[in-house]
Amino acid sequence: MVQHQSVLDRSFAALADPTRRAILLRLGRSDASITELADRFEMTLTGLKKHVHVLENAGLVTTAKLGRVRHCSLGPRRLDEVTKWIASYQTLLEQRLDHLEAFLERTKGTP
Amino acid sequence: MVQHQSVLDRSFAALADPTRRAILLRLGRSDASITELADRFEMTLTGLKKHVHVLENAGLVTTAKLGRVRHCSLGPRRLDEVTKWIASYQTLLEQRLDHLEAFLERTKGTP
């Protein structure tokens, strides 16, 4: 199932959870180990790992094992695709508003 | 389950599907009936209604029944919360980059 989803699908799905968004914001400040994140968010290691796995699967987080500790950092995809999609949608809405304004301007004098 | 999710959770979850994103872009151009959308996306009415319901639940689409036809248009929430979250995340990343640059600048002369 998951492998058929696009990067955009996986990114939006990863962001649809408050803990996962909070993990991204935490890693935006500095890297952290799985244990540090679990402590910070008062979760079990298993629960935290599941969230990190979803973020990793979307390319938003990368993990690396150094000795016995698994370190997490922000991944190569820094919401680039998500930001692009949102921007193109907002542009579409602005164009629609411009067309509406132009129409109202044209018909202003019309009884 | 759904009623415990925040607007942000529901918005991101609604965007995690290519058909739902395409419906938003379609409605960004002009309003459309459920039947028109089902034809456009080659889906059954039932399948299309499910997607519209998810979008409506996130406040991204509104529907209104006029006679026997249900019309869909963009809802009151035009991804405002989503855009704000993304912007605050990007600001955090830029600040981190600025701190890194400042650090590199400070340590440039250091052997």
Side-chain angles (χ1 to χ4, degrees):
Chain A
M1 182 68 184
V2 170
Q3 57 269 37
H4 294 111
Q5 290 183 306
S6 71
V7 169
L8 207 44
D9 294 355
R10 278 179 275 147
S11 298
F12 278 126
L15 291 170
D17 180 278
T19 304
R20 288 199 291 269
R21 289 195 300 275
I23 291 172
L24 278 186
L25 292 176
R26 169 63 190 78
L27 294 177
R29 282 190 281 276
S30 66
D31 299 353
S33 69
I34 291 278
T35 312
E36 282 167 342
L37 292 175
D39 285 349
R40 165 69 187 79
F41 296 107
E42 296 176 353
M43 294 187 78
T44 61
L45 285 176
T46 312
L48 198 283
K49 274 179 193 167
K50 277 183 193 167
H51 282 309
V52 167
H53 183 70
V54 174
L55 289 164
E56 202 171 12
N57 193 37
L60 301 175
V61 163
T62 46
T63 71
K65 201 155 188 177
L66 297 171
R68 294 172 66 183
V69 180
R70 183 165 286 279
H71 288 272
C72 306
S73 53
L74 290 182
R77 290 211 176 83
R78 306 207 164 188
L79 297 184
D80 296 343
E81 285 84 354
V82 162
T83 309
K84 265 184 224 163
W85 191 88
I86 302 277
S88 68
Y89 180 70
Q90 301 287 13
T91 305
L92 180 73
L93 295 192
E94 281 160 25
Q95 283 170 348
R96 191 182 179 182
L97 204 62
D98 288 347
H99 289 159
L100 184 65
E101 277 176 6
F103 172 76
L104 291 174
E105 192 63 33
R106 276 202 309 277
T107 56
K108 213 158 56 175
T110 318
Chain B
M1 181 69 185
V2 170
Q3 59 268 37
H4 294 110
Q5 289 183 305
S6 72
V7 169
L8 207 44
D9 293 356
R10 279 179 275 147
S11 298
F12 277 126
L15 292 170
D17 180 278
T19 305
R20 289 199 291 268
R21 289 195 299 276
I23 291 172
L24 278 186
L25 292 176
R26 169 62 190 79
L27 295 177
R29 283 189 281 276
S30 66
D31 298 354
S33 69
I34 291 279
T35 313
E36 282 167 341
L37 292 175
D39 285 350
R40 164 70 186 77
F41 295 108
E42 295 175 353
M43 293 187 78
T44 62
L45 285 175
T46 312
L48 198 282
K49 274 179 193 166
K50 276 183 193 166
H51 282 310
V52 167
H53 183 71
V54 174
L55 289 164
E56 202 171 11
N57 193 36
L60 301 175
V61 163
T62 46
T63 71
K65 202 155 188 177
L66 297 172
R68 293 172 66 182
V69 180
R70 183 165 287 276
H71 289 271
C72 306
S73 53
L74 291 182
R77 290 209 177 85
R78 306 208 163 187
L79 297 184
D80 296 344
E81 285 84 353
V82 162
T83 309
K84 266 183 223 161
W85 191 88
I86 302 277
S88 68
Y89 180 69
Q90 302 287 13
T91 305
L92 180 74
L93 296 192
E94 281 160 27
Q95 284 171 347
R96 190 183 179 182
L97 204 62
D98 287 348
H99 289 158
L100 183 65
E101 277 176 7
F103 172 77
L104 291 174
E105 193 62 34
R106 276 202 308 280
T107 55
K108 211 158 58 174
T110 317

